[in-house]
Amino acid sequence: MPGAEPFAHDGNEVGVLVCHGYSSTPQSMRPWAQHLADQGYTVRLPLLPGHGTTWQDLGRTRWTDWYDVLDREFADLQQRCEVVFTVGLSLGGLLATKLALDHGPHVRGVVLVNPIFKHNHPALPILPVLRRIVPFFPGIAGDIKKPGGTELAYDKNPLNSMHSQTQLWSIVGADLPELTQPVLLYRSRVDKVVPKISADYFLSRISSKDVTEVWLEESYHVATLDNDAETIFEGSVEFIERLRH
């Protein structure tokens, strides 16, 4: 898809790994990544496997495929930079959290926007069986309040890869008490994709002492492209500057 390309910028000794969401593309995070690059940071925003092409491609991938790409990018940033932060939207927030859990003190801090750790959709309990009968659900893209805001993403949600994502929810959820790094969490007051229970669950389980929660009143799920985007961009820089040394 034109516009779905990954983004990379070589800057100073502060590295930021930016993670886009499920069925989406780097386009949803590009303005944020560019803002971070403009501050002089070394930034990586990869395209996750199965994304940015066709929904059928996504259906052939699993969470390990997505995570492995991010893990390699993290290793590259570690070699180049003195400190590394992970940031992510939705599934990207889940993956950014797993990176922090796996790499411990090598991740200096985590910035999450409407992350997904848990969901209450009524079809989830039967998803393991349903995915063998129904190839996809309608897509979840484009939950943006701002007039004219568009997200470059699929209009279908393949159930095989969705099922794999739910497995990652369980894996990361079990490990959340091990998360001790500083966290900056942005939550949209109205989110039609990820329910309130997701971030509530996350906050109830982590062991981090340095946690800042910011409610976004004028944005929906894809807040990085919405009315509160500048709040996220500027706040993440303040967070990084406070913790970089």
Side-chain angles (χ1 to χ4, degrees):
M1 293 178 174
E5 300 82 10
F7 172 81
H9 173 78
D10 290 335
N12 61 23
E13 72 283 359
V14 176
V16 187
L17 180 53
V18 184
C19 314
H20 71 75
Y22 176 76
S23 82
S24 189
T25 62
Q27 175 262 355
S28 64
M29 304 293 275
R30 180 63 185 266
W32 190 4
Q34 186 63 60
H35 184 83
L36 294 166
D38 290 344
Q39 310 309 306
Y41 306 140
T42 297
V43 180
R44 296 291 183 271
L45 168 55
L47 173 65
L48 300 182
H51 294 74
T53 53
T54 67
W55 70 267
Q56 292 93 337
D57 284 344
L58 177 57
R60 288 186 282 269
T61 63
R62 300 297 179 265
W63 75 260
T64 48
D65 300 313
W66 315 327
Y67 183 76
D68 287 349
V69 166
L70 291 169
D71 203 39
R72 288 197 296 271
E73 293 283 1
F74 180 83
D76 176 63
L77 283 174
Q78 252 200 302
Q79 289 186 333
R80 294 170 179 268
C81 303
E82 294 179 11
V83 295
V84 181
F85 294 80
T86 60
V87 311
L89 165 68
S90 197
L91 168 68
L94 176 71
L95 293 166
T97 300
K98 180 160 176 57
L99 285 164
L101 287 165
D102 290 351
H103 294 282
H106 297 294
V107 174
R108 183 62 60 91
V110 185
V111 185
L112 308 176
V113 180
N114 296 323
I116 178 68
F117 296 96
K118 185 181 277 287
H119 208 293
N120 53 7
H121 193 286
L124 285 173
I126 62 169
L127 189 57
V129 174
L130 191 63
R131 69 191 176 100
R132 304 186 188 282
I133 305 167
V134 181
F136 62 85
F137 276 172
I140 55 175
D143 188 26
I144 300 172
K145 182 177 183 178
K146 186 177 183 179
T150 58
E151 179 187 13
L152 184 62
Y154 298 141
D155 60 0
K156 294 180 176 64
N157 176 4
L159 297 196
N160 277 330
S161 52
M162 186 67 217
H163 176 249
S164 182
Q165 183 188 160
T166 65
Q167 293 175 320
L168 183 58
W169 298 349
S170 298
I171 292 166
V172 174
D175 292 340
L176 282 178
E178 299 173 22
L179 188 73
T180 58
Q181 293 97 322
V183 172
L184 173 57
L185 171 65
Y186 288 100
R187 306 176 66 178
S188 294
R189 190 72 68 180
V190 177
D191 186 333
K192 302 168 193 169
V193 176
V194 174
K196 183 176 179 292
I197 61 166
S198 177
D200 290 347
Y201 171 74
F202 170 79
L203 291 171
S204 72
R205 289 186 58 77
I206 62 175
S207 299
S208 305
K209 303 301 182 188
D210 183 346
V211 179
T212 304
E213 182 182 15
V214 179
W215 285 95
L216 305 174
E217 304 293 346
E218 295 299 326
S219 298
Y220 296 159
H221 182 66
V222 192
T224 51
L225 296 177
D226 217 325
N227 293 308
D228 296 302
E230 289 300 322
T231 297
I232 296 169
F233 302 168
E234 293 169 7
S236 63
V237 171
E238 291 172 5
F239 178 78
I240 290 167
E241 288 300 306
R242 177 167 66 86
L243 296 167
R244 63 182 288 183
H245 297 297

